[in-house]
């Protein structure tokens, strides 16, 4: 795994025991149940937990590379199916913005935790 700080890549990070999952809610629940740490959790899923101090950053400033999300639909289906069209339009216009807002809220919660000293033992 490689983490980034201010756009600069770390050396490759090796772990002794790894559990891999692409299920963000599973990863979130495992962290909340004290079953490990993760460098790869979308901060928007844990805004309240960050504010409450249930989750704290252990590598401040280091992050995984941003994910680029894409939604693809066949043009004929997009044009003919209002459900597909509505979903693609909602995701590109609404969720895209809300996703960024959740990340900003999480980053703010991390800074608040640092200011309160909740994360000081982890830096």
């Amino acid at each position: 795994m490689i983490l980034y700080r201010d756009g600069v890549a770390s050396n490759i990070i090796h772990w002794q025991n790894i559990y891999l999952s692409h299920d963000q809610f599973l990863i979130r629940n495992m962290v909340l149940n004290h079953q490990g740490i993760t460098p790869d959790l979308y901060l928007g899923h844990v805004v309240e937990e960050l504010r409450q101090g249930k989750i704290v950053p252990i590598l401040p400033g280091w992050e995984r590379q941003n994910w680029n999300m894409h939604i693809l639909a066949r043009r004929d289906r997009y044009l003919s199916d209002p459900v597909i069209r509505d979903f693609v339009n909602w995701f590109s216009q609404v969720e895209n913005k809300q996703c960024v807002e959740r990340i900003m809220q999480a980053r703010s919660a991390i800074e608040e935790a640092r200011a309160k000293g909740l994360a000081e033992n982890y830096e």
Side-chain angles (χ1 to χ4, degrees):
M1 165 164 291
I2 297 175
L3 296 177
Y4 294 83
R5 180 179 224 159
D6 299 324
V8 178
S10 70
N11 292 326
I12 295 175
I13 301 170
H14 299 279
W15 304 88
Q16 287 183 334
N17 298 307
I18 298 175
Y19 174 81
L20 296 175
S21 175
H22 296 286
D23 183 335
Q24 288 286 290
F25 289 108
L26 174 67
I27 295 170
R28 174 189 175 275
N29 290 336
M30 290 181 76
V31 169
L32 288 171
N33 288 326
H34 308 284
Q35 294 174 294
I37 63 172
T38 181
D40 202 22
L41 180 63
Y42 166 59
L43 293 176
H45 292 318
V46 291
V47 174
E48 287 307 311
E49 291 81 0
L50 286 163
R51 285 190 178 131
Q52 296 167 7
K54 292 180 180 178
I55 293 178
V56 295
I58 59 171
L59 295 171
W62 290 94
E63 300 178 347
R64 63 168 174 75
Q65 192 170 24
N66 289 336
W67 288 335
N68 291 316
M69 296 182 66
H70 305 276
I71 294 180
L72 303 173
R74 288 186 357 209
R75 183 176 178 80
D76 61 329
R77 295 283 309 273
Y78 176 83
L79 294 173
S80 67
D81 189 333
V83 173
I84 292 174
R85 189 172 49 254
D86 289 347
F87 175 74
V88 170
N89 291 341
W90 168 82
F91 197 94
S92 66
Q93 296 169 13
V94 177
E95 176 55 18
N96 188 34
K97 181 181 177 192
Q98 290 177 352
C99 177
V100 172
E101 290 171 357
R102 286 191 300 273
I103 290 171
M104 298 310 293
Q105 289 173 359
R107 289 176 192 263
S108 175
I110 290 170
E111 290 305 315
E112 289 170 21
R114 264 197 211 119
K116 292 178 186 174
L118 294 175
E120 67 188 22
N121 295 327
Y122 299 92
E123 297 189 59

